[in-house]
């Protein structure tokens, strides 16, 4: 596959003070078929989403709750393997005017079988603005980061709010796209985010990196996003809340693309002035 000639796209920039950006998580291929999912990505771009964390589906994720796990199973049943995900990305990413795409892939299921250099090269050449490797063992992380640096592929690093100081420092030092701060231990969708508790760790991380700080796990609505902005987050990541609405729309025989637009509009309403929501 020839490398796509795309300009690098910044993450979560251009917002006002305490006005965090929005990232959303989706499993590639859910909802399907491919033309519906492509229309969904373009609708999210048009609606003003800053980043889509686009997962290469894999089964039985230990970090995901039932909503995301059902989504991954539907995507796999729709044939959304790595090759199909990269084809979709290569077709749609050049048509997206605003939204960046962070390709999320599981170490064991997707990255390790190919090896980090080959996987990262394929991701870059398909148009990924960043890569997030899920579940990489500590010994593998340096290899991933070195391979990414050699080809100029920005990387998302992760840590938990209660990670040890050395883990926080490593995540901050090595983030070249953005740092994903996981708000709490457990599975996606299991508990609501508590923004006030995250202020100290966001302050600490801000002193360690210039990379944007995105918070996920338990972000359910506009009030959460606004509160995270007040605590110093550059962005919020919404996964289960969006995927659940898309699932419900499909089950009800409704258009998931229309539902996605409605969900994003709800998430981007300013809680300080509901008459002046953010516009793309």
């Amino acid at each position: 596959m020839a490398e796509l000639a795309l300009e690098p796209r910044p993450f979560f920039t251009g917002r006002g003070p305490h006005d965090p950006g929005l990232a959303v998580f989706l499993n590639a291929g859910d909802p399907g078929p491919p033309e519906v999912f492509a229309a969904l990505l373009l609708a999210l771009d048009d609606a003003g989403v800053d980043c889509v964390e686009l997962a290469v589906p894999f089964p039985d994720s230990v970090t995901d709750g039932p909503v995301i796990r059902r989504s991954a199973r539907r995507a796999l049943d729709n044939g959304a393997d790595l090759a199909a995900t990269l084809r979709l990305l290569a077709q749609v990413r050049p048509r997206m005017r605003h939204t960046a795409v962070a390709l999320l892939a599981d170490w064991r299921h997707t990255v390790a079988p190919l090896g980090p250099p080959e996987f990262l090269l394929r991701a870059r050449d398909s148009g990924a603005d960043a890569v997030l490797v899920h579940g990489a063992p500590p010994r593998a992380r340096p290899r991933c980061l070195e391979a990414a640096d050699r080809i100029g592929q920005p990387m998302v690093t992760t840590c938990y709010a209660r990670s040890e100081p050395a883990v926080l420092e490593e995540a901050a030092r090595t983030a070249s796209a953005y740092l994903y701060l996981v708000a709490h231990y457990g599975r996606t969708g299991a508990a609501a985010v508590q923004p006030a508790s995250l202020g100290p760790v966001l302050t600490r991380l801000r002193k360690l990196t210039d990379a944007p700080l995105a918070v996920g796990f338990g972000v359910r609505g506009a009030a959460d996003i606004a509160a995270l902005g007040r605590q110093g987050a550059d962005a919020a990541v919404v996964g289960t809340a969006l995927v659940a609405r898309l699932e419900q729309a499909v089950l009800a025989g409704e258009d998931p693309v229309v539902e996605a637009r409605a969900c994003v509009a709800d998430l981007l309403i300013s809680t300080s002035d509901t008459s002046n929501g953010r516009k793309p």
Side-chain angles (χ1 to χ4, degrees), residues 11-12 53 102-104 120 129-136 140-142 144-146 148-149 153-161 163 166-183 205 208-216 237:
F11 291 88
F12 316 123
E53 290 186 351
L103 187 71
L104 186 156
L120 290 164
D129 296 283
V131 166
L132 192 167
V133 177
H134 172 272
R141 291 173 196 156
C144 288
L145 293 168
E146 290 165 7
D149 185 63
Q153 174 65 74
M155 296 291 286
V156 180
T157 60
T158 62
C159 60
Y160 285 90
S163 291
V167 176
L168 297 176
E169 291 168 8
E170 180 185 7
R173 176 176 52 83
T174 56
S176 51
Y178 59 93
L179 189 157
Y180 187 148
L181 178 65
V182 183
L205 289 169
L208 296 171
T209 183
D210 292 328
L213 305 176
V215 177
V237 184

Side-chain angles (χ1 to χ4, degrees), residues 9-22 48 50 98 212 234-235 278-280:
R9 185 159 287 177
F11 291 88
F12 316 123
T13 60
R15 301 294 191 191
H18 307 308
D19 187 16
L22 175 63
D50 295 293
H98 169 77
D234 297 301
R278 288 194 314 207
K279 302 295 183 182

Side-chain angles (χ1 to χ4, degrees), residues 203-235:
T203 298
R204 180 185 184 117
L205 289 169
R206 176 55 63 223
K207 294 177 181 178
L208 296 171
T209 183
D210 292 328
L213 305 176
V215 177
F217 269 51
V219 181
R220 297 176 176 175
D224 292 335
I225 296 170
L228 288 169
R230 291 192 293 271
Q231 296 297 327
D234 297 301

Side-chain angles (χ1 to χ4, degrees), residues 15 19 265 267-271 273-280:
R15 301 294 191 191
D19 187 16
L267 293 169
L268 294 184
I269 291 173
S270 170
T271 55
D273 179 2
T274 56
S275 68
N276 186 26
R278 288 194 314 207
K279 302 295 183 182

Side-chain angles (χ1 to χ4, degrees), residues 18-19 24 33 43 71 79 89 97 134 172 216 238 240:
H18 307 308
D19 187 16
V24 299
S71 170
L89 178 60
R97 299 172 301 151
H134 172 272
V238 176
T240 299

